[in-house]
Amino acid sequence: MSGEQRGGHRPGPARAGRSRPERAVQPARRVAYDVLRAVSASDAYANLMLPSVIAEAGLDPQDAALATELTYGTLRRRGTYDAIISAAADRPASEIDPAVLDALRLGVHQLLATRVAPHAAVNESVNIVAASQGRGASSFANAVLRRISRESAEHWQERIESEARSDDERLALRTAHPVWVIRALRRALAAEGRAPELDALLDADNASPEVTLVALPGLAETGEPRRPYASTAFASPGGDPHRIVAGSGGRVRVQDEGSQLVALALAAVEPIRAGERWLDLCAGPGGKTALLAAIAHENGVVLEANEVVHARAGLVRSALRPVPGEVVVHEQDGRALASSRPGAFDRILVDAPCTGLGALRRRPEARWRKSPADVAELVPLQTGLLNAALDALAPGGIVAYVTCSPHLAETTGVVQEVLRERPGFIELDARAVVADLAQTPIDLAEDGSGRVQLWPHRHGTDAMFLALIQRPASDTQGD
């Protein structure tokens, strides 16, 4: 069997344990590869893992920037790169050893989307394969990458698009989004009468997002430059934002402006009365919880939080440390917790588990991990959480239903299904609340529903969805 053939198959247990001679690999590329492997093999989240791997490697700012670009760029365009690799290797990418495939993806990104010298892109990627997989696999990787390096990015793009079976498949290869995601985003935009904005949205998903910070109200001052909408939001002035966070003792945090807006909307929907009881039902990892806790502390409000996953509950507690006072963090299924507390809360945030299709700029791997089957599994959970939260409202209380997804099944579909079964509950005008909060005019769809859908290409935020639902003040059900 030739080296190329060996490199194209998954290793057996004996091969996986074989020691390899170390070959020099530039540190930034090694960091990027290690993160790519963790994402592929262990479902790691690149945005959570990359900073710690960079710190452990002791990268200087220039190498840290390179590692970040290589990691995120490779993850964003993985589907396109897999099609190119399949064409160059003359076999499906799915049949290539996963560790070799990640190195090939990293090499292809450098060859076709960066100004890295072709010989460096090829040699370093081959060295990565040789160090972990051996000579046969490195010969295969070398042959594939050299074949790709002989043609331009335009050539390879035209080649893979010429084999597409539909216009949507061509668009998927061009924009590195799965076909089902493209169709879901198109439907969501069309619901607002803005289907022509699809190309702009797909482009925004593939752009590196600006780092946005939140200054916890009453505990930190909002810096410059200000973001356009949330009073608490400002852009990172450059450099490592984690230094700013550490220097503030956690009173300044990294948080998308859209996430800030939906939490602020729940606090601003009606005047706050001292003694109110609030609940963050799906709190992990705790960014919105900390923002609500700071507002609660300023206004004499009692806040509780809940996160069913133990590790994420730990992140919530960590996020809350800079805020004075105590916030009890439960670790229960949110449906069970809310159902056990009928009529207990005046405001509840349901930041429901979702596909995360609204955060593809910051979590590019999500587009390759999710499928329509995930939506089908999530919708009953989302519906159950919202129903349970409505049960836990005191008369006149308000739920903010939030997802970081614009998928209509997860957003409008859930809200409409729940309200059909609860005709006494009132959907409030979340659009008016957010428009009033915004420091500058904000372009929100006027579809008559009062719901808010934010967009990366239009607002520079994650695609957060918000609906506000109120229990009638005269309703004593469940008390």
Side-chain angles (χ1 to χ4, degrees):
M1 183 180 290
S2 71
E4 285 198 27
Q5 288 173 315
R6 285 197 300 270
H9 293 276
R10 298 173 184 269
R15 180 179 171 186
R18 189 184 308 167
S19 62
R20 307 293 180 194
E22 287 296 322
R23 297 195 187 187
V25 176
Q26 196 260 355
R29 292 183 177 89
R30 168 54 67 183
V31 164
Y33 178 72
D34 288 346
V35 175
L36 293 175
R37 287 301 302 131
V39 168
S40 296
S42 307
D43 285 341
Y45 290 94
N47 65 316
L48 299 180
M49 182 177 181
L50 183 61
S52 62
V53 178
I54 286 174
E56 289 170 8
L59 299 189
D60 61 31
Q62 184 175 356
D63 277 347
L66 176 60
T68 301
E69 156 56 25
L70 295 181
T71 302
Y72 283 104
T74 303
L75 287 171
R76 285 190 186 101
R77 302 199 64 81
R78 194 184 87 177
T80 300
Y81 293 157
D82 282 2
I84 292 171
I85 291 166
S86 296
D90 198 27
R91 71 187 65 175
S94 59
E95 294 181 5
I96 298 173
D97 181 296
V100 175
L101 182 57
D102 277 330
L104 289 174
R105 291 165 174 160
L106 183 59
V108 172
H109 178 65
Q110 293 171 79
L111 286 170
L112 302 185
T114 75
R115 288 183 279 187
V116 172
H119 72 274
V122 173
N123 291 342
E124 294 263 341
S125 298
V126 170
N127 285 347
I128 287 172
V129 174
S132 61
Q133 303 300 110
R135 183 176 299 175
S138 67
S139 296
F140 169 77
N142 184 60
V144 173
L145 290 174
R146 290 196 182 281
R147 197 170 298 151
I148 293 171
S149 71
R150 288 196 287 268
E151 305 290 351
S152 67
E154 291 73 21
H155 164 87
W156 288 110
Q157 193 66 45
E158 289 174 6
R159 177 170 171 178
I160 61 174
E161 286 187 33
S162 70
E163 299 174 1
R165 295 164 294 184
S166 67
D167 288 343
D168 279 352
E169 194 169 295
R170 270 186 290 279
L171 185 59
L173 290 166
R174 189 178 312 135
T175 64
H177 286 71
V179 169
W180 78 273
V181 172
I182 287 174
R183 291 172 178 167
L185 295 177
R186 182 189 289 122
R187 285 192 293 270
L189 286 168
E192 297 186 356
R194 304 195 188 195
E197 296 182 11
L198 178 62
D199 286 344
L201 172 57
L202 297 175
D203 287 345
D205 275 350
N206 286 331
S208 298
E210 183 180 52
V211 176
T212 302
L213 301 171
V214 58
L216 297 181
L219 301 174
E221 295 295 325
T222 306
E224 299 289 343
R226 298 287 185 98
R227 292 287 298 159
Y229 307 126
S231 60
T232 51
F234 62 106
S236 174
D240 183 359
H242 297 283
R243 294 180 182 175
I244 300 174
V245 173
S248 73
R251 293 174 177 85
V252 171
R253 307 173 54 82
V254 175
Q255 187 175 38
D256 178 73
E257 187 177 19
S259 293
Q260 297 180 47
L261 275 174
V262 295
L264 292 172
L266 178 60
V269 61
E270 286 189 347
I272 300 172
R273 306 179 311 277
E276 284 189 15
R277 299 157 297 172
W278 295 2
L279 172 65
D280 186 351
L281 189 59
C282 311
K288 298 182 188 70
T289 321
L291 181 52
L292 288 175
I295 298 170
H297 176 69
E298 282 189 304
N299 291 275
V301 167
V302 176
L303 173 67
E304 296 180 38
N306 178 70
E307 172 52 51
V308 66
V309 178
H310 176 69
R312 287 169 62 85
L315 295 176
V316 175
R317 294 185 180 98
S318 177
L320 287 167
R321 284 192 194 112
V323 183
E326 181 182 3
V327 175
V328 175
V329 179
H330 306 279
E331 297 184 26
Q332 298 183 39
D333 183 309
R335 293 165 293 187
L337 174 68
S339 296
S340 71
R341 307 280 295 278
F345 298 100
D346 300 289
R347 305 186 200 214
I348 301 176
L349 175 64
V350 180
D351 185 10
C354 67
T355 56
L357 299 184
L360 297 184
R361 305 174 306 157
R362 293 186 293 107
R363 302 190 192 105
E365 65 272 17
R367 71 188 78 184
W368 311 118
R369 283 182 175 168
K370 302 297 183 180
S371 73
D374 293 297
V375 179
E377 291 179 5
L378 283 165
V379 166
L381 172 61
Q382 294 158 347
T383 303
L385 286 165
L386 180 53
N387 268 313
L390 295 179
D391 289 337
L393 282 179
I398 298 170
V399 163
Y401 175 74
V402 170
T403 66
C404 188
S405 169
H407 196 297
L408 290 176
E410 300 186 89
T411 58
T412 295
V414 167
V415 172
Q416 290 178 338
E417 179 180 346
V418 169
L419 288 179
R420 270 196 302 268
E421 301 300 320
R422 292 176 174 267
F425 283 77
I426 304 161
E427 186 169 4
L428 303 178
D429 191 350
R431 184 183 177 279
V433 176
V434 171
D436 190 54
L437 277 172
Q439 306 298 291
T440 61
I442 184 168
D443 179 13
L444 300 174
E446 299 185 29
D447 60 2
S449 72
R451 299 163 200 148
V452 170
Q453 180 64 66
L454 302 175
W455 295 102
H457 67 289
R458 197 183 306 150
H459 306 110
T461 69
D462 289 346
M464 302 296 298
F465 171 84
L466 169 68
L468 295 169
I469 302 173
Q470 185 172 38
R471 180 175 175 177
S474 60
D475 185 3
T476 58
Q477 176 183 337
D479 289 354

